[in-house]
């Protein structure tokens, strides 16, 4: 896959583990005494909390209603970044904080990120000066070295870096740097690192009720969708990291609790690599709703996003609307020589941002996080992928205090290993439309056994990114994946047919 070999592979850091769901459930069933920390939510923040808590030596369990990173955490723009656009709103502290976290990831998860150069094209001299000034502040806040500092480029250099850029009226541009990553894979590496620290993690275990005694949350009752039973899990303190569903969890304890969150939908489209034609990303500096749009090379394709549309209620699986897709196509077309059409979109997906419940346009709401402590439960919400580690640290600090847990040293230097290379090969075969062979079947088997994938969607959407890269071609692999997984889990023919049909319906929603 073009660009795939640019990801560093530093090997295992020694703190990753195989993850077998049956073994996790067995450990959970065998535990009678309360856990130290129970985390609700298996997205970026929840997994970060589980790793932080386990690394401090706390006995930790995490439950997730669906698959790890099935929601917003697998539907991002795939960037660890400070947020250039937040400078325009004067959110300097947030940008500085995010850039510090970006640098931590650069050093402690080198196998999971890669440097990405961004071109901000200028179609007027005033624009070039304005962009250069703003990015100089970005450099100062990030303490960028000489190699990573932003710099102006000429018209010819801009077109060399981005040969498909619209040349008419182009006056050059400014180059700056951030980090790219694969969000779903990063989440899985957080889970594996937490498991290596003896945390128990259970996906497809949704919270049905909170166990409350004397006005204090003392645990949860969850339904294990894989086994069809319920189980009660007690803990000294509970961390609510349920993302866009955090308010729903809070209201299980306090039905009249005022909302902490509001929501916006961020949609992306995926195009063929020919629309960008290089390894330099483009930042569309201002959209009709006063945001920015990224046009980014990603796994041999081009990712365009994101929108910002207010949403009233959370949704487990939001879709990109026709208006979302048209908005992104229109803004990409303003800057690309070959304008994409709807027929060029290989996949379209959306995620919901859990924003602080502040008034005003969602595009202007700060992306910082909030921590609430109430009767044995700590709720952590807001934030963004780049600050997941800081959010986890703050939540676990509050949980340790609320649960009267013995203090432990700061563990924020925890390192993550590189992803299995075989996943990338399987993904490449599927997206290329090639028939899956014995090696691919062996990899699907490993994913089902060691990465807690329970459905075809888990394999094709998150353990690989086939659904996100090419929705139609991913459907062709669904039956082989279902049959292989059935062989691992002992499922019957009816289960195989259900999975194939369910995935085809899902892929249809990602198609335009």
């Amino acid at each position: 896959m073009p660009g795939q070999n640019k990801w560093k592979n530093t090997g295992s850091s020694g703190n990753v583990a195989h993850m077998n769901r049956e073994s996790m459930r067995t450990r959970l069933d065998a535990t009678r005494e309360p856990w130290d920390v129970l985390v609700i939510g298996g997205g970026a923040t929840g997994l970060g909390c589980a790793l932080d808590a386990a690394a401090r030596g706390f006995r930790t369990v995490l439950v997730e209603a669906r698959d790890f990173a099935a929601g917003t955490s697998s539907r991002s723009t795939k960037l660890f970044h400070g947020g250039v656009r937040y400078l325009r709103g004067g959110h300097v502290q947030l940008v500085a904080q995010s850039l510090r976290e970006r640098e931590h990831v650069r050093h402690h998860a080198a196998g999971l990120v890669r440097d990405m150069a961004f071109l901000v094209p200028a179609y007027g001299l005033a624009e070039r000066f304005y962009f250069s000034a703003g990015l100089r502040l970005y450099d100062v806040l990030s303490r960028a070295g000489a190699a990573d500092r932003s710099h102006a480029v000429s018209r010819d250099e801009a077109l060399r870096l981005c040969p498909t850029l619209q040349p008419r009226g182009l006056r050059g541009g400014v180059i700056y740097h951030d980090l790219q990553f694969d969000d779903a894979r990063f989440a899985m590496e957080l889970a594996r690192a937490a498991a290596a620290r003896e945390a128990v993690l259970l996906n497809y275990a949704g919270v049905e009720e909170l166990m409350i005694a004397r006005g204090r949350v003392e645990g949860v009752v969850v339904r294990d969708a894989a086994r069809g039973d319920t189980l009660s899990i007690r803990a000294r303190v509970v961390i609510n990291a349920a993302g866009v569903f955090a308010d729903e969890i809070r209201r299980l304890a306090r039905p009249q609790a005022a909302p902490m969150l509001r929501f916006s939908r961020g949609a992306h489209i995926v195009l063929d690599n020919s629309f960008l034609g290089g390894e330099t990303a483009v930042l569309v500096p201002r959209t009709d709703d006063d945001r920015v749009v990224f046009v980014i090379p990603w796994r041999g394709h081009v990712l365009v996003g994101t929108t910002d549309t207010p949403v009233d209620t959370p949704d487990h699986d939001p879709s990109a609307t026709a208006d979302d897709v048209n908005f992104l196509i229109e803004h990409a077309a303003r800057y690309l020589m070959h304008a994409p059409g709807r027929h060029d979109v290989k996949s379209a997906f959306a995620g919901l941002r859990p924003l602080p419940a502040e008034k005003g346009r969602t595009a202007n709401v700060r992306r910082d996080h909030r921590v609430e402590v109430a009767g044995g439960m700590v709720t952590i919400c807001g934030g963004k992928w780049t600050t997941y580690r800081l959010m986890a640290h703050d939540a676990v600090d509050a949980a340790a205090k609320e649960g009267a847990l013995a203090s432990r040293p700061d563990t924020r230097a925890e390192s993550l290993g590189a992803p299995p290379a075989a996943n990338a090969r399987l993904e490449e075969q599927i997206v290329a439309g090639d028939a899956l062979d014995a090696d691919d079947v062996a990899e699907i088997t490993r994913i089902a056994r060691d990465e807690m994938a329970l459905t075809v969607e888990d394999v094709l959407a998150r353990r690989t990114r086939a659904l996100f890269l090419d929705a139609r071609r991913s459907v062709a692999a669904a039956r082989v994946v279902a049959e292989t997984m059935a062989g691992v889990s002992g499922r019957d023919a009816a289960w195989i047919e259900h999975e194939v049909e369910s995935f085809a319906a899902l892929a249809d929603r990602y198609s335009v």
Side-chain angles (χ1 to χ4, degrees):
M1 183 181 300
Q4 194 70 37
N5 61 358
K6 292 181 177 290
W7 295 85
K8 297 178 183 177
N9 191 333
T10 57
S12 173
S13 63
N15 70 332
V16 295
H18 295 308
M19 294 172 56
N20 180 275
R21 193 181 188 280
E22 282 301 306
S23 298
M24 292 288 188
R25 175 63 195 264
T26 298
R27 285 180 58 198
L28 196 54
D29 289 341
T31 302
R32 295 291 176 262
E33 65 274 19
W35 295 83
D36 291 333
V37 177
L38 187 155
V39 181
I40 302 171
T45 306
L47 292 168
C49 288
L51 175 55
D52 190 294
R56 298 191 199 200
F58 299 145
R59 296 172 55 258
T60 303
V61 60
L62 177 146
V63 294
E64 159 59 40
R66 300 173 70 213
D67 186 30
F68 304 118
T72 305
S73 294
S74 63
R75 302 157 187 257
S76 75
T77 313
K78 327 302 179 195
L79 297 177
F80 271 106
H81 63 140
V84 169
R85 78 177 187 88
Y86 301 132
L87 290 177
R88 195 164 65 209
H91 301 155
V92 175
Q93 183 176 354
L94 173 64
V95 174
Q97 183 184 76
S98 299
L99 288 170
R100 287 194 297 271
E101 291 302 303
R102 184 196 70 179
E103 292 312 297
H104 174 91
V105 168
R106 188 196 301 273
H107 294 293
H108 292 279
L112 293 168
V113 298
R114 69 162 176 166
D115 180 77
M116 176 69 68
F118 290 79
L119 172 68
V120 187
Y123 287 85
L125 292 178
E127 276 191 350
R128 187 167 164 180
F129 174 80
Y130 176 74
F131 299 151
S132 294
L135 287 167
R136 276 198 292 273
L137 176 58
Y138 202 65
D139 292 340
V140 170
L141 294 173
S142 68
R143 302 176 183 176
D148 293 332
R149 240 174 250 139
S150 64
H151 59 279
V153 295
S154 67
R155 179 183 186 277
D156 288 347
E157 179 65 5
L159 292 173
R160 185 187 71 79
L161 293 170
C162 299
T164 62
L165 200 62
Q166 175 58 255
R168 188 171 58 252
L170 182 65
R171 305 298 291 267
V174 182
I175 293 286
Y176 76 98
H177 292 257
D178 265 319
L179 295 182
Q180 187 183 50
F181 76 125
D182 187 280
D183 44 16
R185 173 45 55 182
F186 201 102
M188 182 52 59
E189 294 308 309
L190 286 175
R192 294 207 301 156
R197 291 283 193 171
E198 303 301 323
V200 169
L201 303 99
L202 202 67
N203 55 352
Y204 293 96
V207 172
E208 292 201 331
E209 62 179 282
L210 300 179
M211 300 166 63
I212 301 174
R214 299 175 297 279
R216 185 177 178 84
V217 177
E218 295 189 343
V220 300
V221 177
V222 301
R223 175 163 293 279
D224 185 340
R227 289 197 183 181
D229 63 352
T230 59
L231 63 157
S232 300
I233 310 170
R234 297 173 61 226
R236 297 171 67 180
V237 65
V238 172
I239 297 177
N240 172 15
V244 295
F245 296 99
D247 278 334
E248 293 189 9
I249 298 296
R250 292 171 63 239
R251 288 178 184 135
L252 292 176
R254 293 176 291 139
Q256 304 306 317
M260 291 181 68
L261 293 173
R262 60 187 297 199
F263 318 104
S264 76
R265 184 178 64 246
H268 298 79
I269 59 174
V270 176
L271 306 171
D272 186 79
N273 188 56
S274 61
F275 282 95
L276 197 54
E279 286 297 313
T280 301
V282 173
L283 171 66
V284 175
R286 192 180 292 273
T287 64
D288 292 342
D289 61 354
D290 201 31
R291 286 175 47 80
V292 301
V293 163
F294 295 100
V295 184
I296 305 173
W298 181 56
R299 304 180 86 79
H301 294 70
V302 175
L303 179 68
V304 183
T306 177
T307 60
D308 192 303
T309 306
V311 175
D312 292 332
T313 57
D315 183 351
H316 279 293
D317 197 8
S319 297
T321 66
D323 285 345
D324 291 333
V325 172
N326 291 338
F327 177 93
L328 294 172
I329 287 174
E330 179 184 344
H331 282 82
R334 294 176 188 178
Y335 287 82
L336 299 178
M337 192 161 46
H338 305 295
R342 291 180 64 85
H343 61 280
D344 294 308
V345 177
K346 293 181 174 293
S347 187
F349 61 93
L352 299 184
R353 301 180 185 90
L355 304 175
E358 300 175 356
K359 294 181 179 180
R361 295 176 60 245
T362 54
N364 296 332
V365 174
R366 290 172 60 95
R367 267 38 172 185
D368 55 359
H369 60 275
R370 304 282 191 274
V371 177
E372 176 194 73
V373 181
M377 186 164 72
V378 173
T379 296
I380 176 75
C381 62
K384 57 179 184 169
W385 244 115
T386 306
T387 57
Y388 86 89
R389 190 182 65 103
L390 182 59
M391 295 172 67
H393 179 77
D394 289 350
V396 175
D397 271 357
K401 183 177 180 180
E402 178 69 3
L405 304 177
S407 62
R408 295 290 194 277
D410 190 309
T411 58
R412 285 180 290 176
E414 193 76 12
S415 295
L416 300 175
N423 284 37
R425 180 190 182 277
L426 173 62
E427 175 187 289
E428 186 174 358
Q429 294 281 100
I430 295 168
V431 174
D434 296 337
L436 301 187
D437 58 23
D439 288 339
D440 298 315
V441 170
E443 179 60 8
I444 296 166
T445 300
R446 185 199 66 77
I447 290 171
R449 286 178 176 166
D450 296 342
E451 293 196 0
M452 297 177 67
L454 298 190
T455 70
V456 169
E457 179 189 344
D458 296 346
V459 175
L460 295 178
R462 288 172 293 277
R463 306 308 185 274
T464 71
R465 308 314 306 272
L467 174 64
F468 286 75
L469 293 170
D470 195 315
R472 296 178 185 85
R473 284 189 171 173
S474 69
V475 175
R479 183 165 296 276
V480 172
V481 173
E483 290 174 349
T484 303
M485 297 181 78
V488 174
S489 59
R491 301 285 189 171
D492 59 15
W495 181 87
I496 293 172
E497 292 306 318
H498 175 268
E499 281 295 303
V500 172
E501 291 173 7
S502 295
F503 185 78
L506 176 67
D508 188 60
R509 292 173 56 202
Y510 281 63
S511 304
V512 173

